[in-house]
Amino acid sequence: MHRSAPRLTRILACAAVPVMLVVAGCSSDSDAKGSGPADGSSSSPEATAPGGEQSPVSVEPAKYAKLPDPCKALTSKTVEELVPKVKNKAGTAGTSNDTAARGSCSWNGLEDKGVKGSNYRWLDVSFQRFASEAGIGSGGDRARNAYEKEVAAVKATEKAKDVKSSPAAGVGEEATAIAYGLTKSGEDFRYATIVARTGNVVVTLGYNGTGFAGAENPDPSQLMKDAVTAAKEATASVAKAN
């Protein structure tokens, strides 16, 4: 039996092109005449919705719909214990153009001990909430990614010395404690930062201090212990707000 000239020409042309192109453009006659749609679109019912539009991929709903007031995430007792002689017990709120997605608050104080010097303390807390969005991902997954990036960013603090990190047990669903030293204006500051995630919310609590005019610097282990206690309180405030 003799193949027609057009068919033979087509076979030879297909043999000369890469395999991937063969799959795409050199199918058998039966494929070309197949029972699928003439326009080449998929006949799978999952591929398109009624009307020919792409069916949206569902994502897991976000666990939390709102954030707590950052300046009320810690009790007055906690603030006064961690920041002696605090300037503003109510805290100073950070600016935010979307308080449903992010917010922060800070406190600071200087305890003057006369000839024994002065103790300075700074405490801050920030929240970031992630919504579930089709095409982007669930709020929980987005928060996990943001949590990992925040931990890495804190560890990479510019000019930080003796950086140490460890899991912070009992804080949210996952948390990391990061300790380091930093010299500012000739003074040696000690830092304790807790980065935690609860559901679709990332909580970052920072606590630092130094001793002026002869006062001793804060003990790193005590500073971290106090930071973990405050971080537990801040993280718990997310569930309370919802």
Side-chain angles (χ1 to χ4, degrees):
M1 182 181 296
H2 297 285
R3 291 190 175 89
S4 64
R7 177 171 174 76
L8 181 58
T9 300
R10 181 168 175 270
I11 293 173
L12 292 175
C14 288
V17 298
V19 175
M20 291 182 68
L21 295 180
V22 172
V23 173
C26 298
S27 57
S28 67
D29 286 349
S30 60
D31 290 338
K33 299 176 183 179
S35 58
D39 61 1
S41 61
S42 171
S43 60
S44 172
E46 291 83 12
T48 57
E53 296 180 357
Q54 189 72 26
S55 299
V57 179
S58 61
V59 295
E60 181 183 1
K63 184 175 182 178
Y64 297 119
K66 58 184 179 179
L67 294 176
D69 180 338
C71 290
K72 294 181 180 178
L74 301 176
T75 65
S76 296
K77 179 182 179 182
T78 297
V79 170
E80 290 178 18
E81 287 180 351
L82 270 60
V83 188
K85 303 297 181 181
V86 59
K87 288 183 179 180
N88 181 5
K89 293 180 182 180
T92 301
T95 58
S96 174
N97 56 8
D98 185 358
T99 55
R102 63 187 63 83
S104 63
C105 191
S106 63
W107 301 261
N108 68 87
L110 181 66
E111 183 182 26
D112 187 353
K113 292 189 172 183
V115 296
K116 293 183 179 181
S118 302
N119 290 322
Y120 176 80
R121 295 291 184 273
W122 171 284
L123 174 67
D124 64 70
V125 63
S126 65
F127 298 88
Q128 190 169 7
R129 185 183 67 84
F130 296 86
S132 292
E133 297 183 30
I136 297 179
S138 70
D141 287 341
R142 295 176 67 197
R144 288 185 192 94
N145 290 334
Y147 163 77
E148 292 174 358
K149 290 180 180 179
E150 181 69 6
V151 169
V154 175
K155 288 182 179 180
T157 297
E158 187 176 4
K159 296 183 179 180
K161 300 177 293 185
D162 301 323
V163 180
K164 298 178 182 178
S165 66
S166 60
V171 186
E173 294 175 33
E174 55 182 336
T176 300
I178 304 133
Y180 59 92
L182 193 63
T183 300
K184 298 190 299 181
S185 301
E187 301 293 341
D188 292 325
F189 283 74
R190 301 290 186 181
Y191 284 75
T193 301
I194 309 297
V195 182
R197 181 187 66 82
T198 176
N200 56 310
V201 176
V202 175
V203 182
T204 303
L205 184 134
Y207 186 38
N208 70 77
T210 189
F212 289 115
E216 293 184 0
N217 283 332
D219 176 63
S221 60
Q222 185 61 48
L223 199 72
M224 182 59 74
K225 182 179 179 181
D226 290 340
V228 169
T229 298
K232 289 180 179 180
E233 193 173 306
T235 303
S237 72
V238 177
K240 292 179 181 179
N242 287 268

